[in-house]
Amino acid sequence: MSTNRPTPMPATALLAHVALWTRDLDAASAFWRDHFAADIGDLYRSRRQPGFLSRFARLPGQQVVLELMQAPWVAEADPQTRVGWAHLALSLGSQAAVDATAARLDAAGLLISPPRQTGDGLYEAVVRTPDGIPIEITV
């Protein structure tokens, strides 16, 4: 009799990267580089999927990287169609860091919600990428 339980992941499995679609790879790369000091890797052009481009963005001190991906089939989507993920939360380590980052991103026109204590006890602000994807910046 089958229980249909998934096979557990090996204890050594590590998250290697998180990928997100963008309509503008250059703008997304600049966003992560300029506002979060990410090291942006070389441009990759797929030979198998014409028009597919990507770059890896590594945040300082992190092992997991972001793969920023662009392709014609994403750019052609309805402008209201969401790209990327629902949101990403980045822990900055202190309220002062959240405040400073929120102020910098507010000056760039990218602040959605100013720093505040949330109902679930977090101190956070919400900013957006050039594609409009929310990022919670927290302690």
Side-chain angles (χ1 to χ4, degrees):
M1 175 159 128
S2 172
T3 60
N4 292 327
R5 290 186 185 158
T7 304
M9 270 194 338
T12 58
L14 299 174
L15 185 61
H17 74 268
V18 176
L20 66 108
W21 289 110
T22 179
R23 291 189 181 103
D24 186 337
L25 185 59
D26 293 334
S29 297
F31 172 84
W32 288 102
R33 180 191 65 232
D34 296 348
H35 297 294
F36 293 99
D39 178 40
I40 305 298
D42 293 336
L43 179 67
Y44 167 74
R45 292 179 188 274
S46 175
R47 288 186 222 156
R48 190 174 57 83
Q49 295 179 298
F52 175 85
L53 307 171
S54 74
R55 290 183 183 271
F56 284 97
R58 182 179 303 278
L59 297 171
Q62 300 295 312
Q63 292 182 6
V64 175
V65 295
L66 305 174
E67 182 181 11
L68 309 173
M69 306 180 308
Q70 176 182 322
W73 54 91
V74 175
E76 294 166 1
D78 174 344
Q80 298 304 311
T81 301
R82 240 182 140 136
V83 296
W85 49 56
H87 76 265
L88 170 72
L90 295 175
S91 174
L92 303 182
S94 71
Q95 285 188 6
V98 170
D99 292 343
T101 302
R104 191 175 69 250
L105 289 163
D106 187 23
L110 299 172
L111 183 68
I112 294 172
S113 178
R116 70 204 179 287
Q117 197 75 40
T118 65
D120 55 1
L122 298 174
Y123 186 78
E124 70 179 29
V126 182
V127 301
R128 67 174 178 83
T129 69
D131 285 312
I133 301 164
I135 298 175
E136 296 174 353
I137 52 175
T138 71
V139 174

